[in-house]
């Protein structure tokens, strides 16, 4: 696997981002156009197709959101445990989940220091990631 860094750590899954999400959106738009242009006799079936397309779009969207939320919980637990192993303390309560997600890429050597800095300076996830000197890749993301 190639090394991760700030510029290449984002994950693009063509099957989801292009096919499923974009395809669902096109289906919704097409079904709405069909609903608007349909005659009175075809209104029932056109509205069912639109309803089904909307359900598919929401299902596609929420499948991703639910997986990311579960992953965020795992990241919080993993990073709390890693911080405890390194410092014998739990992560500061002031950290937001977005900050913790940014900190997961920091090496063990800079993790405690960057954590304290993130709390004191209220760094954003993006600022934390840009501050990392030795990147620790995460190759198992959703």
């Amino acid at each position: 696997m190639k090394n991760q860094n700030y510029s290449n750590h984002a994950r693009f899954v063509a099957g989801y981002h292009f096919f499923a999400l974009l395809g669902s959106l096109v289906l919704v738009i097409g079904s709405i156009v069909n609903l608007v242009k349909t005659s009175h006799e075809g209104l029932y079936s056109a509205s069912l197709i639109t309803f089904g397309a909307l359900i598919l779009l929401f299902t596609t969207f929420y499948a991703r959101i639910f997986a990311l939320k579960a992953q965020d919980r795992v990241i919080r637990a993993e990073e709390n445990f890693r911080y405890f192993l390194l410092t014998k303390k739990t992560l500061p309560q002031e950290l937001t989940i977005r900050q913790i997600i940014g900190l997961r890429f920091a090496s063990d050597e800079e993790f405690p220091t960057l954590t304290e800095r993130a709390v004191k300076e209220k760094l954003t996830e993006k600022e934390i990631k840009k501050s990392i000197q030795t990147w620790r890749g995460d190759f198992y993301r959703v």
Side-chain angles (χ1 to χ4, degrees):
M1 288 185 208
K2 71 178 186 176
N3 289 336
Q4 277 186 4
N5 56 46
Y6 180 76
S7 64
N8 71 359
H9 78 285
R11 183 138 187 228
F12 178 79
V13 180
Y16 174 77
H17 290 101
F18 183 72
F19 183 73
L21 194 57
L22 188 59
S24 296
L25 189 60
V26 168
L27 183 64
V28 167
I29 292 168
S31 68
I32 290 172
V33 168
N34 181 48
L35 180 64
V36 170
K37 290 186 174 190
T38 194
S39 65
H40 181 68
E41 294 82 33
L43 192 58
Y44 178 73
S45 60
S47 61
L48 282 180
I49 291 169
T50 302
F51 183 66
L54 285 170
I55 288 173
L56 181 64
L57 179 67
F58 280 107
T59 302
T60 304
F61 176 74
Y62 280 114
R64 178 73 173 172
I65 296 300
F66 293 160
L68 290 175
K69 286 291 185 189
Q71 177 178 272
D72 291 351
R73 292 184 64 159
V74 170
I75 289 168
R76 183 177 53 210
E78 286 176 345
E79 297 311 308
N80 197 23
F81 183 59
R82 180 164 76 124
Y83 189 77
F84 182 79
L85 290 175
L86 295 170
T87 66
K88 303 299 182 224
K89 298 185 282 186
T90 59
L91 276 172
Q93 294 295 317
E94 299 85 9
L95 284 174
T96 66
I97 188 65
R98 300 308 316 168
Q99 288 175 308
I100 295 169
I101 289 167
L103 286 165
R104 80 175 189 250
F105 296 107
S107 66
D108 287 348
E109 293 76 27
E110 60 187 320
F111 182 58
T113 307
L114 192 54
T115 300
E116 300 305 321
R117 191 172 149 225
V119 170
K120 287 179 186 159
E121 298 176 24
K122 298 184 183 344
L123 298 175
T124 65
E125 177 184 3
K126 187 176 183 180
E127 292 169 333
I128 291 168
K129 289 178 183 178
K130 286 184 174 182
S131 299
I132 296 171
Q133 301 298 311
T134 308
W135 196 271
R136 181 176 155 251
D138 181 359
F139 301 99
Y140 301 104
R141 292 181 319 225
V142 174

